[in-house]
Amino acid sequence: MRVTLLAAIASSLLWGAHASAQSVPEGTVKEGPTLVAPPATTGVFDMADEQSTTGEPSRGKTKGEPKLHQPGPVPPGAAAPTPPPPMPWFADDKGSKSASGPSGVLLYGDVFWMRPRRTAPFVFHTTPTAGFGEDYDTTEFHFGFRAGGGYLTSDGLLLAATYTHFEHQVADDSEGVGSFTYVGPGLLHGSTADSLRGTWNFRYRTVDIHGGVVLSPTDHVDLILTGGARIAWIDQAYETFLTNGGIGAVELHDLTLGGAGPRFGSEGRIYLLPWLALYGQGAVSLIFADLRNDSELNVSGPNETSRFVLRYDRHHLIPALELAVGAEVSLFKGRVLLGGGYEYHYWFNLANSVDNGGNIIPSDLSLEGVFVRATLLW
């Protein structure tokens, strides 16, 4: 038995050396009485596990143990398999990720510090005289708030509603030697006086209802496209006190807008870090509005008192533009967002009024300021 095993091993080794030197393909038979290629499936260790010619198991191994196989040689002309190269850090792996993301109830709120401004002079203007002359169109910053909620699905569909509230009162006093010319809204527009005092009460309320979709074209960019409707109520109340010689005049002028229309916008975020993003927003609205002017003027003099009333209503299209930029910090895997920035609103023809000749006094209205924001998703 042992002689037979050693003879088989020697025959296999001699055949391998001779085949390598003569370049004889494996599995062929070379002419001659001694060198015959063994079967391709038979190796040295396989032969050790085969039974002997007497039917007994070979020595050195227990029957039933797994055979030991050595890796075979690579066929001539074939390259050894190599693992795929690693993906570079900048490669987009979106295709291997699920399109789903965080979903749930969405709540958000802003606190902003803004001021309204008319494109026309605010309430009154002074005709420059010796040592005196100013333009009284300065407004101050006041606080307002914005709150909303909605629902975000796992595949990026969004439905939300937002309420914005802002109130502001501006009061300017002007006393001194000079000739004042009133250029604000109402029946006193164009009147001259030696003393002027005015106030402007501004109240701004909007409700936005919109739906949209959240898109993530890359790992570092998110886009939100929205469309919906805006409902607006904007009230402006002007009160002007004017004296000229022995005559005094007081005018109350109310400018009221109420209406609704479509609103479309988009938001974008660029992630500088997984938890830090730059934020930008833009939106446009077209409000089909009922614009109403109400003026009441009382003039009192040494001998008489007069009262004038003007009411002017019209339907009007009011375009509005909104812009905002800022930064946001993401916490708890995007469930909490904290941010802030600068925002600007521009309403065309919102501050138009009518003078005592029935002429339109054109004026746009803008709001600008800073805001802080918190968003919660669960």
Side-chain angles (χ1 to χ4, degrees):
M1 174 67 179
R2 190 168 188 173
V3 174
T4 305
L5 178 61
L6 292 176
I9 294 174
S11 175
S12 176
L13 292 177
L14 288 174
W15 165 251
H18 185 77
S20 174
Q22 299 296 328
S23 299
V24 178
E26 186 179 354
T28 61
V29 179
K30 182 175 179 66
E31 294 183 0
T34 58
L35 298 180
V36 178
T41 58
T42 303
V44 174
F45 296 99
D46 293 325
M47 293 173 60
D49 197 38
E50 297 293 334
Q51 292 185 350
S52 65
T53 55
T54 61
E56 298 179 357
S58 60
R59 298 178 181 179
K61 285 188 69 66
T62 304
K63 184 177 181 180
E65 287 188 14
K67 301 177 182 180
L68 300 177
H69 297 281
Q70 298 294 326
V74 178
T82 58
M87 295 182 64
W89 65 269
F90 53 82
D92 192 355
D93 195 26
K94 284 287 184 179
S96 62
K97 296 181 180 179
S98 172
S100 62
S103 63
V105 177
L106 187 69
L107 297 177
Y108 49 89
D110 295 7
V111 175
F112 51 79
W113 193 43
M114 292 199 301
R115 66 173 180 176
R117 306 182 78 176
R118 291 166 46 96
T119 55
F122 162 50
V123 175
F124 35 74
H125 177 73
T126 62
T127 301
T129 59
F132 192 88
E134 296 183 44
D135 188 5
Y136 291 84
D137 60 358
T138 302
T139 57
E140 299 176 351
F141 287 89
H142 280 243
F143 284 102
F145 70 89
R146 182 182 298 111
Y151 190 82
L152 176 65
T153 67
S154 60
D155 54 358
L157 298 180
L158 172 67
L159 181 63
T162 307
Y163 174 73
T164 303
H165 186 96
F166 177 68
E167 292 192 33
H168 186 17
Q169 177 175 335
V170 180
D172 279 320
D173 295 320
S174 175
E175 302 289 346
V177 178
S179 177
F180 295 81
T181 302
Y182 177 73
V183 293
L187 298 175
L188 287 177
H189 180 83
S191 301
T192 59
D194 52 27
S195 175
L196 275 173
R197 180 170 61 89
T199 62
W200 178 29
N201 294 303
F202 179 77
R203 190 180 187 190
Y204 177 96
R205 296 164 295 163
T206 61
V207 173
D208 298 323
I209 303 173
H210 57 270
V213 59
V214 181
L215 305 175
S216 298
T218 72
D219 287 333
H220 306 287
V221 176
D222 281 344
L223 296 176
I224 304 178
L225 305 179
T226 62
R230 162 166 284 188
I231 306 171
W233 303 270
I234 302 175
D235 303 324
Q236 303 174 67
Y238 300 87
E239 188 173 7
T240 306
F241 304 90
L242 177 152
T243 62
N244 190 354
I247 301 176
V250 179
E251 180 179 10
L252 304 177
H253 179 82
D254 294 328
L255 179 59
T256 305
L257 176 143
R263 179 180 182 270
F264 298 95
S266 63
E267 297 181 17
R269 288 171 177 82
I270 299 177
Y271 291 90
L272 305 179
L273 297 170
W275 51 270
L276 177 63
L278 297 180
Y279 166 85
Q281 177 191 17
V284 293
S285 304
L286 185 62
I287 306 300
F288 298 87
D290 180 20
L291 197 59
R292 178 173 177 176
N293 285 264
D294 289 320
S295 291
E296 180 179 340
L297 173 62
N298 293 283
V299 180
S300 60
N303 301 318
E304 62 178 342
T305 300
S306 302
R307 179 174 179 267
F308 303 89
V309 176
L310 171 68
R311 173 171 292 179
Y312 179 69
D313 295 336
R314 68 187 184 277
H315 297 290
H316 205 64
L317 287 177
I318 305 292
L321 174 66
E322 306 165 55
L323 299 172
V325 293
E328 282 186 338
V329 174
S330 176
L331 305 174
F332 306 107
K333 297 182 179 181
R335 295 289 180 174
V336 176
L337 298 176
L338 301 177
Y342 168 84
E343 65 178 286
Y344 181 80
H345 303 252
Y346 196 92
W347 291 73
F348 296 86
N349 301 318
L350 182 58
N352 288 1
S353 60
V354 182
D355 64 11
N356 54 13
N359 302 309
I360 300 295
I361 306 170
S363 182
D364 302 334
L365 183 71
S366 65
L367 298 96
E368 62 172 343
V370 295
F371 68 92
V372 293
R373 172 177 299 167
T375 304
L376 175 64
L377 175 65
W378 90 83

